[in-house]
Amino acid sequence: AGHASTSFKLTSASSATTITATQVDSGRQYTLHRGDHLVVRLTGPSIYTWTAPLSSNQAILQRTISSPGSTSITTFIAEANGDVTVTATDNPNCYPQCLPPSRVFELRVSVVG
C-alpha cells in the first residue's frame, strides 16, 4: 500500500491591529477588536510628568506595559467586548506650589468581537 502526505498551514482570519494615540488625539473615540493593541504615547515639556494612562475597566482593555514620566508610553490589549475610558493627567513637577495647570488626556474606546 502507498503512503500519502498532506501539508497545510494554519492562518488566522484576521490579525491584531495596533493603534497609536498621542495627546493630540485626546477626546477621540476608537473601536478595537478583541486582541487589538492600543499604544498611548504622551509627551510634553520636562517640567511636566504624565501619570500612567488607566483603563476604566481592565477586564475590557487591559494595561500590559506602562511608563509614566515627561514621556509616557503605555500599551493596552483589547480583551473583551465593552466600552471604556482611558485617562491620564500631565501634572507640573512643582504641583501644587506653582501655577501651571494640569492637563488631562481622555480617550473613549469600544471593543467589539
Side-chain angles (χ1 to χ4, degrees), residues 77-103:
I77 186 167
E79 294 285 351
N81 291 358
D83 298 317
V84 297
T85 302
V86 174
T87 57
T89 304
D90 197 17
N91 292 310
N93 295 333
C94 56
Y95 180 81
Q97 298 88 348
C98 60
L99 297 177
S102 295
R103 300 181 294 179

Side-chain angles (χ1 to χ4, degrees), residues 45-67:
S46 61
I47 63 167
Y48 278 82
T49 299
W50 282 103
T51 60
L54 295 172
S55 167
S56 61
N57 187 332
Q58 287 281 348
I60 296 171
L61 190 65
Q62 182 181 14
R63 185 172 68 183
T64 59
I65 300 170
S66 185
S67 64

Side-chain angles (χ1 to χ4, degrees), residues 11-17 33-34 36 113:
T11 59
S12 171
S14 65
S15 59
T17 298
H33 291 88
R34 282 181 289 172
D36 286 353

Side-chain angles (χ1 to χ4, degrees), residues 3 9 11 13 19-20 28 30 35 38 43 48 51 66 72-74 82 95-96 98-99 101-105:
H3 293 287
K9 180 179 178 183
T11 59
I19 293 175
T20 300
R28 290 191 62 188
Y30 291 95
L38 171 67
T43 60
Y48 278 82
T51 60
S66 185
S72 174
I73 300 171
T74 301
Y95 180 81
C98 60
L99 297 177
S102 295
R103 300 181 294 179
V104 177
F105 172 84

